[in-house]
mmCIF file of all heavy atoms in Angstrom:
data_model
loop_
_atom_site.group_PDB
_atom_site.id
_atom_site.type_symbol
_atom_site.label_atom_id
_atom_site.label_comp_id
_atom_site.label_asym_id
_atom_site.label_seq_id
_atom_site.Cartn_x
_atom_site.Cartn_y
_atom_site.Cartn_z
ATOM 1 N N ARG A 103 15.541 12.878 -2.367
ATOM 2 C CA ARG A 103 16.134 12.649 -1.054
ATOM 3 C C ARG A 103 15.164 12.000 -0.076
ATOM 4 O O ARG A 103 15.532 11.672 1.032
ATOM 5 C CB ARG A 103 16.632 13.976 -0.471
ATOM 6 C CG ARG A 103 17.678 14.628 -1.349
ATOM 7 C CD ARG A 103 18.021 15.976 -0.808
ATOM 8 N NE ARG A 103 18.661 15.833 0.488
ATOM 9 C CZ ARG A 103 19.972 15.876 0.650
ATOM 10 N NH1 ARG A 103 20.750 16.064 -0.371
ATOM 11 N NH2 ARG A 103 20.496 15.748 1.849
ATOM 12 N N ARG A 104 13.910 11.867 -0.481
ATOM 13 C CA ARG A 104 12.910 11.295 0.426
ATOM 14 C C ARG A 104 12.202 10.128 -0.246
ATOM 15 O O ARG A 104 11.086 10.273 -0.722
ATOM 16 C CB ARG A 104 11.887 12.366 0.808
ATOM 17 C CG ARG A 104 12.493 13.541 1.540
ATOM 18 C CD ARG A 104 11.409 14.484 1.985
ATOM 19 N NE ARG A 104 10.954 15.374 0.929
ATOM 20 C CZ ARG A 104 9.766 15.961 0.929
ATOM 21 N NH1 ARG A 104 8.923 15.731 1.908
ATOM 22 N NH2 ARG A 104 9.423 16.778 -0.048
ATOM 23 N N PRO A 105 12.841 8.969 -0.303
ATOM 24 C CA PRO A 105 12.273 7.858 -1.090
ATOM 25 C C PRO A 105 10.862 7.465 -0.659
ATOM 26 O O PRO A 105 10.022 7.183 -1.512
ATOM 27 C CB PRO A 105 13.266 6.719 -0.856
ATOM 28 C CG PRO A 105 14.154 7.142 0.236
ATOM 29 C CD PRO A 105 14.129 8.622 0.295
ATOM 30 N N LEU A 106 10.592 7.454 0.664
ATOM 31 C CA LEU A 106 9.264 7.008 1.088
ATOM 32 C C LEU A 106 8.186 7.998 0.650
ATOM 33 O O LEU A 106 7.049 7.617 0.386
ATOM 34 C CB LEU A 106 9.227 6.820 2.597
ATOM 35 C CG LEU A 106 10.017 5.615 3.095
ATOM 36 C CD1 LEU A 106 9.943 5.501 4.589
ATOM 37 C CD2 LEU A 106 9.515 4.337 2.459
ATOM 38 N N ASP A 107 8.557 9.271 0.571
ATOM 39 C CA ASP A 107 7.589 10.262 0.113
ATOM 40 C C ASP A 107 7.332 10.139 -1.382
ATOM 41 O O ASP A 107 6.218 10.397 -1.853
ATOM 42 C CB ASP A 107 8.065 11.674 0.452
ATOM 43 C CG ASP A 107 7.915 11.958 1.929
ATOM 44 O OD1 ASP A 107 7.383 11.082 2.629
ATOM 45 O OD2 ASP A 107 8.325 13.026 2.381
ATOM 46 N N THR A 108 8.374 9.734 -2.127
ATOM 47 C CA THR A 108 8.161 9.492 -3.555
ATOM 48 C C THR A 108 7.077 8.456 -3.741
ATOM 49 O O THR A 108 6.225 8.570 -4.633
ATOM 50 C CB THR A 108 9.423 8.913 -4.212
ATOM 51 O OG1 THR A 108 10.544 9.396 -3.541
ATOM 52 C CG2 THR A 108 9.465 9.242 -5.657
ATOM 53 N N LEU A 109 7.133 7.456 -2.882
ATOM 54 C CA LEU A 109 6.149 6.375 -2.951
ATOM 55 C C LEU A 109 4.735 6.940 -2.852
ATOM 56 O O LEU A 109 3.871 6.635 -3.670
ATOM 57 C CB LEU A 109 6.447 5.432 -1.794
ATOM 58 C CG LEU A 109 5.850 4.045 -1.742
ATOM 59 C CD1 LEU A 109 6.690 3.199 -0.819
ATOM 60 C CD2 LEU A 109 4.449 4.091 -1.243
ATOM 61 N N LEU A 110 4.521 7.810 -1.859
ATOM 62 C CA LEU A 110 3.179 8.376 -1.685
ATOM 63 C C LEU A 110 2.806 9.277 -2.848
ATOM 64 O O LEU A 110 1.691 9.211 -3.367
ATOM 65 C CB LEU A 110 3.103 9.159 -0.381
ATOM 66 C CG LEU A 110 3.189 8.320 0.882
ATOM 67 C CD1 LEU A 110 3.068 9.212 2.095
ATOM 68 C CD2 LEU A 110 2.093 7.280 0.891
ATOM 69 N N ALA A 111 3.757 10.112 -3.266
ATOM 70 C CA ALA A 111 3.445 11.056 -4.339
ATOM 71 C C ALA A 111 3.117 10.318 -5.626
ATOM 72 O O ALA A 111 2.149 10.660 -6.321
ATOM 73 C CB ALA A 111 4.610 12.002 -4.556
ATOM 74 N N THR A 112 3.891 9.280 -5.961
ATOM 75 C CA THR A 112 3.604 8.561 -7.199
ATOM 76 C C THR A 112 2.323 7.754 -7.078
ATOM 77 O O THR A 112 1.643 7.515 -8.071
ATOM 78 C CB THR A 112 4.759 7.629 -7.591
ATOM 79 O OG1 THR A 112 5.146 6.868 -6.466
ATOM 80 C CG2 THR A 112 5.926 8.415 -8.107
ATOM 81 N N TRP A 113 1.992 7.340 -5.849
ATOM 82 C CA TRP A 113 0.688 6.679 -5.680
ATOM 83 C C TRP A 113 -0.424 7.665 -5.993
ATOM 84 O O TRP A 113 -1.401 7.331 -6.674
ATOM 85 C CB TRP A 113 0.552 6.114 -4.271
ATOM 86 C CG TRP A 113 -0.761 5.458 -4.031
ATOM 87 C CD1 TRP A 113 -1.857 6.001 -3.443
ATOM 88 C CD2 TRP A 113 -1.134 4.139 -4.412
ATOM 89 N NE1 TRP A 113 -2.889 5.093 -3.422
ATOM 90 C CE2 TRP A 113 -2.477 3.943 -4.008
ATOM 91 C CE3 TRP A 113 -0.462 3.093 -5.068
ATOM 92 C CZ2 TRP A 113 -3.148 2.756 -4.234
ATOM 93 C CZ3 TRP A 113 -1.146 1.909 -5.274
ATOM 94 C CH2 TRP A 113 -2.470 1.746 -4.861
ATOM 95 N N GLY A 114 -0.254 8.894 -5.509
ATOM 96 C CA GLY A 114 -1.223 9.928 -5.844
ATOM 97 C C GLY A 114 -1.312 10.142 -7.341
ATOM 98 O O GLY A 114 -2.394 10.242 -7.912
ATOM 99 N N LEU A 115 -0.134 10.177 -7.982
ATOM 100 C CA LEU A 115 -0.090 10.338 -9.433
ATOM 101 C C LEU A 115 -0.864 9.212 -10.110
ATOM 102 O O LEU A 115 -1.630 9.443 -11.060
ATOM 103 C CB LEU A 115 1.375 10.334 -9.885
ATOM 104 C CG LEU A 115 1.626 10.520 -11.369
ATOM 105 C CD1 LEU A 115 1.219 11.909 -11.787
ATOM 106 C CD2 LEU A 115 3.081 10.276 -11.710
ATOM 107 N N SER A 116 -0.686 7.984 -9.600
ATOM 108 C CA SER A 116 -1.357 6.859 -10.248
ATOM 109 C C SER A 116 -2.879 6.982 -10.095
ATOM 110 O O SER A 116 -3.614 6.678 -11.042
ATOM 111 C CB SER A 116 -0.855 5.541 -9.670
ATOM 112 O OG SER A 116 -1.556 5.197 -8.507
ATOM 113 N N LEU A 117 -3.337 7.472 -8.936
ATOM 114 C CA LEU A 117 -4.785 7.667 -8.768
ATOM 115 C C LEU A 117 -5.313 8.659 -9.797
ATOM 116 O O LEU A 117 -6.340 8.430 -10.439
ATOM 117 C CB LEU A 117 -5.099 8.171 -7.368
ATOM 118 C CG LEU A 117 -4.981 7.186 -6.218
ATOM 119 C CD1 LEU A 117 -5.393 7.862 -4.934
ATOM 120 C CD2 LEU A 117 -5.851 5.978 -6.468
ATOM 121 N N GLY A 118 -4.571 9.775 -9.932
ATOM 122 C CA GLY A 118 -4.994 10.792 -10.881
ATOM 123 C C GLY A 118 -5.031 10.258 -12.297
ATOM 124 O O GLY A 118 -5.973 10.522 -13.054
ATOM 125 N N MET A 119 -4.003 9.487 -12.658
ATOM 126 C CA MET A 119 -3.952 8.952 -14.018
ATOM 127 C C MET A 119 -5.091 7.971 -14.266
ATOM 128 O O MET A 119 -5.697 7.957 -15.348
ATOM 129 C CB MET A 119 -2.599 8.279 -14.270
ATOM 130 C CG MET A 119 -1.485 9.282 -14.530
ATOM 131 S SD MET A 119 0.154 8.562 -14.389
ATOM 132 C CE MET A 119 0.357 7.854 -15.999
ATOM 133 N N GLN A 120 -5.403 7.154 -13.235
ATOM 134 C CA GLN A 120 -6.522 6.217 -13.406
ATOM 135 C C GLN A 120 -7.816 6.951 -13.703
ATOM 136 O O GLN A 120 -8.578 6.572 -14.597
ATOM 137 C CB GLN A 120 -6.715 5.392 -12.132
ATOM 138 C CG GLN A 120 -5.749 4.253 -11.997
ATOM 139 C CD GLN A 120 -5.885 3.554 -10.678
ATOM 140 O OE1 GLN A 120 -6.889 3.698 -9.983
ATOM 141 N NE2 GLN A 120 -4.875 2.798 -10.308
#
Side-chain angles (χ1 to χ4, degrees):
Chain A
R103 300 174 65 99
R104 298 185 279 157
L106 289 180
D107 286 356
T108 330
L109 195 159
L110 292 181
T112 48
W113 179 263
L115 181 67
S116 85
L117 287 183
M119 283 165 84
Q120 280 175 17

